[in-house]
Amino acid sequence: MVPVFSALTVVSAWEWPFFSNMVQAQQVQLQVDVAPQPLRIAVIGAGAAGSSAAFWISKAKERQPDMNLEVHVFDKSDYVGGRSIVVHPYNDPSLGTEELGASIFVRANKNMFRATEEFGLNVTDLSREDDDMTVWDGDQVILTYSGGWWDNLKMLWRYGYAAPTKAKELTLEMIESLLKAYTPSHPVWPTIESISESLGFTNQTAQTGLEYFTSHGVAENFVTEMIGAATRVNYAQNVDSIHGLDAAVSMAANGASQVTGGNYQIFEGFIKHSGAKLHLNTTVTSLEKTQSSSGKTTWVLSGDSKIPSVSFDQVIFAAPFASSGITLKGSSAKFTPNVDYVRLHVTLLATSSRGARPERFGLAPGSHVGRMILTNANRNSNAQPQAHEEIDDPYAAYEAPPFNPACSGPGNVCARKVAEKPDFNSISYHKTIVRDGKEEHIWKVFSMERKSDQWLEGVFGEGTLGWIHRKEWDSYPVLPPVTSFPPIKADTGLWYVNSMEPWISTMETETLNSRNVVDNLLQEVFGHGICPHGTSPDGWGNKIEDKKVYGWDC
């Protein structure tokens, strides 16, 4: 006799067609329910660092479809681009755009240039704009240069042949070393200290620009006057306070360019091609480290109501942490050493004047003043001139800035230099527009304090001003000599792209370190990064003209 239970088991499982079909349907449903969840990644910041991080993740996914990833990019602003943003003169789009923040990139910036090619963006060449230059030290014009044979002779007479030649040689050596980071020989670095040592920059970042260049045989007057002018316009810091690597970066202006219509289009392109979910106008106020029931580390983002109510497996922090306003919960991560930022005032203006008044710079009426007016630290005067000092030019009264306690402290460039002459960093001509049938000329002023309309009239002439647009930025990190840097990996599943900023601060290096962060993250989780293992080292080079770029190519 067959037991009833056994008979029912056999029949019900294999011989009753309608029941067999139902079981199969349940099995299919079960497979859907347990499909593997994607690795969820949050990117905080949609500037150069965050947008490119999302893009590098998509490049890895494109080559290795087995990577199951979901990427969300958050930014509190209403635009993509971070410190790259444009404005229109008179708020009139027909008059074109002006870069208000990050303005240029150079030929050695391989990720930026490759992006313009891949995304079909037009590039404006700015490399000839510094051929009409005046250098001012706050008391006198020390050099004018328009590129002619006579100006070349004046340069030769003032600095000799060796100083500019040696400075150029050191700059080219720096570029060639840095370009190794675009090859498979340097695809990933665990710390900024390790890449700095690998590329031979440790001693360079440990010295000031003045110390570095003079120790290599560059005449001090060339360093303080010409390299100093470059560090002031590029980083708002003097050459005797900024570290040697960024002083050299300031001199690497060959092929200076910008995207026609705005550099932000590169970063919009990164986001568009990444396929990431973009959350603008979304403020993150805290990151909380949590653990799942299985012991896996996850992160919960808190802030406004637009943040998805999900946990994230990985977080890429792609903004300066200290100024983000974001707090960490359940994590002991430290983004140290702390990095302070230079508060820069940018003034864009339209004027009917074709150039700056020569009298403002101690020159005779009718004298030529360059369309790029650079400055260097006045080494003969640390005094703070009085605003009511009697001088021949009624517009040239120096505006002494108020004391800023946030700038106090030994070695702080803001505290040491804010009261010194000259009273601006640079003044540069941008373009001529036609409005209401009349020509107006667009200029940009970089300074450490707000410039009044009266000050601007002192430069360009009374009654000449039209449109004026002012903006304050935490523009660049303060870059003193340094040998230690914030961590790339701050905690389990928490990565910091801006760890590279105190080493080299450019749009390009943000895209470079974001590639590195993504490579580290993916190798840790999947065992391979943006490029598959076994990428051949053949066909790569560390010259500007070499076409292959790691990350874009494998």
Side-chain angles (χ1 to χ4, degrees):
M1 181 176 179
V2 179
V4 173
F5 181 78
S6 298
L8 285 175
T9 301
V10 172
V11 172
S12 64
W14 303 107
E15 297 181 19
W16 293 359
F18 73 91
F19 195 78
S20 176
N21 292 339
M22 183 173 68
V23 171
Q24 291 175 9
Q26 289 175 339
Q27 290 174 337
V28 171
Q29 182 62 47
L30 183 62
Q31 290 171 0
V32 172
D33 290 343
V34 298
Q37 292 294 313
L39 186 81
R40 194 174 286 122
I41 303 173
V43 180
I44 299 177
S51 62
S52 59
F55 177 75
W56 295 127
I57 293 170
S58 72
K59 294 298 285 186
K61 204 172 171 183
E62 174 186 307
R63 297 177 181 120
Q64 297 156 96
D66 62 306
M67 288 184 171
N68 188 11
L69 304 168
E70 179 181 308
V71 181
H72 295 253
V73 180
F74 300 90
D75 201 290
K76 61 185 177 183
S77 300
D78 61 356
Y79 66 93
V80 171
R83 282 170 275 181
S84 181
I85 185 173
V86 299
V87 294
H88 303 287
Y90 294 100
N91 297 318
D92 183 350
S94 71
L95 297 177
T97 58
E98 290 298 319
E99 292 283 358
L100 193 57
S103 299
I104 66 167
F105 49 95
V106 300
R107 182 54 63 182
N109 295 161
K110 291 199 167 190
N111 287 335
M112 296 290 286
F113 265 99
R114 181 66 173 268
T116 64
E117 296 168 359
E118 296 282 342
F119 303 157
L121 301 174
N122 293 323
V123 174
T124 301
D125 184 2
L126 307 175
S127 58
R128 300 294 298 175
E129 292 197 354
D130 59 357
D131 279 354
D132 187 13
M133 176 180 67
T134 293
V135 181
W136 162 255
D137 73 355
D139 285 328
Q140 62 182 339
V141 170
I142 62 173
L143 181 73
T144 58
Y145 183 82
S146 299
W149 65 271
W150 179 244
D151 286 335
N152 287 330
L153 282 177
K154 287 192 296 182
M155 287 276 286
L156 191 62
W157 174 80
R158 187 173 186 87
Y159 302 117
Y161 177 77
T165 302
K166 185 62 177 178
K168 181 178 180 179
E169 177 186 315
L170 292 169
T171 302
L172 291 176
E173 287 177 0
M174 179 274 298
I175 293 171
E176 190 167 311
S177 292
L178 188 58
L179 290 180
K180 294 175 184 176
Y182 297 89
T183 71
S185 61
H186 289 77
V188 183
W189 47 91
T191 64
I192 302 301
E193 291 87 346
S194 65
I195 187 65
S196 188
E197 181 179 1
S198 178
L199 297 179
F201 293 141
T202 301
N203 290 333
Q204 200 166 344
T205 63
Q207 305 174 72
T208 67
L210 178 62
E211 291 168 340
Y212 171 73
F213 279 100
T214 55
S215 69
H216 284 77
V218 181
E220 184 172 343
N221 68 332
F222 184 84
V223 178
T224 58
E225 293 177 3
M226 298 305 296
I227 301 178
T231 63
R232 284 175 63 87
V233 69
N234 284 294
Y235 288 116
Q237 291 160 70
N238 292 334
V239 72
D240 61 354
S241 60
I242 195 171
H243 67 66
L245 180 56
D246 275 321
V249 169
S250 297
M251 295 294 287
N254 185 47
S257 304
Q258 63 184 204
V259 176
T260 307
N263 294 328
Y264 72 92
Q265 295 170 89
I266 290 177
F267 311 123
E268 285 188 340
F270 282 145
I271 292 290
K272 177 182 177 181
H273 286 76
S274 74
K277 298 179 180 179
L278 179 62
H279 306 268
L280 296 178
N281 289 309
T282 305
T283 301
V284 178
T285 57
S286 71
L287 283 173
E288 184 176 5
K289 182 182 178 183
T290 61
Q291 279 194 330
S292 67
S293 57
S294 63
K296 178 184 176 183
T297 295
T298 58
W299 294 86
V300 176
L301 278 60
S302 298
D304 62 37
S305 59
K306 289 180 281 188
I307 298 174
S309 300
V310 295
S311 60
F312 291 88
D313 302 289
Q314 304 282 329
V315 175
I316 298 176
F317 210 103
F321 179 78
S323 60
S324 69
I326 295 175
T327 58
L328 294 179
K329 298 179 180 179
S331 171
S332 58
K334 301 292 184 185
F335 296 86
T336 55
N338 293 325
V339 178
D340 295 322
Y341 281 74
V342 175
R343 192 70 174 173
L344 185 72
H345 291 251
V346 181
T347 308
L348 282 164
L349 66 134
T351 172
S352 58
S353 176
R354 290 182 173 272
R357 298 172 55 247
E359 298 90 340
R360 173 62 172 77
F361 302 95
L363 300 174
S367 298
H368 177 71
V369 181
R371 291 193 162 191
M372 170 66 80
I373 306 171
L374 302 179
T375 61
N376 59 42
N378 188 321
R379 303 175 71 82
N380 298 316
S381 174
N382 290 330
Q384 189 165 300
Q386 299 301 308
H388 301 294
E389 181 181 357
E390 291 185 5
I391 51 180
D392 293 336
D393 181 5
Y395 293 105
Y398 180 87
E399 292 184 346
F403 174 69
N404 181 357
C407 293
S408 61
N412 189 308
V413 64
C414 184
R416 291 169 55 205
K417 301 300 180 184
V418 73
E420 298 180 7
K421 296 181 180 180
D423 56 339
F424 64 93
N425 294 61
S426 65
I427 302 174
S428 57
Y429 166 80
H430 279 217
K431 68 183 181 185
T432 296
I433 62 173
V434 177
R435 183 172 178 268
D436 298 331
K438 297 179 181 179
E439 282 192 350
E440 295 186 47
H441 312 282
I442 306 298
W443 292 73
K444 179 188 281 187
V445 180
F446 286 160
S447 60
M448 301 303 292
E449 66 281 333
R450 184 184 187 276
K451 292 306 178 188
S452 66
D453 290 3
Q454 182 184 9
W455 188 94
L456 296 171
E457 285 190 330
V459 174
F460 295 103
E462 185 176 2
T464 67
L465 303 180
W467 169 75
I468 300 174
H469 186 98
R470 295 180 174 92
K471 174 71 176 179
E472 289 182 58
W473 289 105
D474 285 334
S475 53
Y476 322 104
V478 178
L479 296 162
V482 63
T483 55
S484 61
F485 302 89
I488 288 173
K489 184 178 180 181
D491 200 345
T492 303
L494 180 60
W495 306 85
Y496 191 40
V497 178
N498 288 64
S499 58
M500 185 172 271
E501 274 211 289
W503 187 62
I504 300 177
S505 179
T506 64
M507 293 183 286
E508 176 70 13
T509 44
E510 291 297 278
T511 71
L512 190 62
N513 202 38
S514 70
R515 188 205 76 197
N516 173 63
V517 161
V518 169
D519 240 339
N520 273 284
L521 184 160
L522 296 178
Q523 290 198 22
E524 183 176 288
V525 175
F526 295 100
H528 49 75
I530 296 172
C531 290
H533 285 309
T535 298
S536 172
D538 297 334
W540 301 80
N542 58 332
K543 303 291 185 183
I544 291 176
E545 59 270 19
D546 290 323
K547 297 298 184 182
K548 293 184 73 173
V549 182
Y550 184 81
W552 296 92
D553 307 301
C554 288

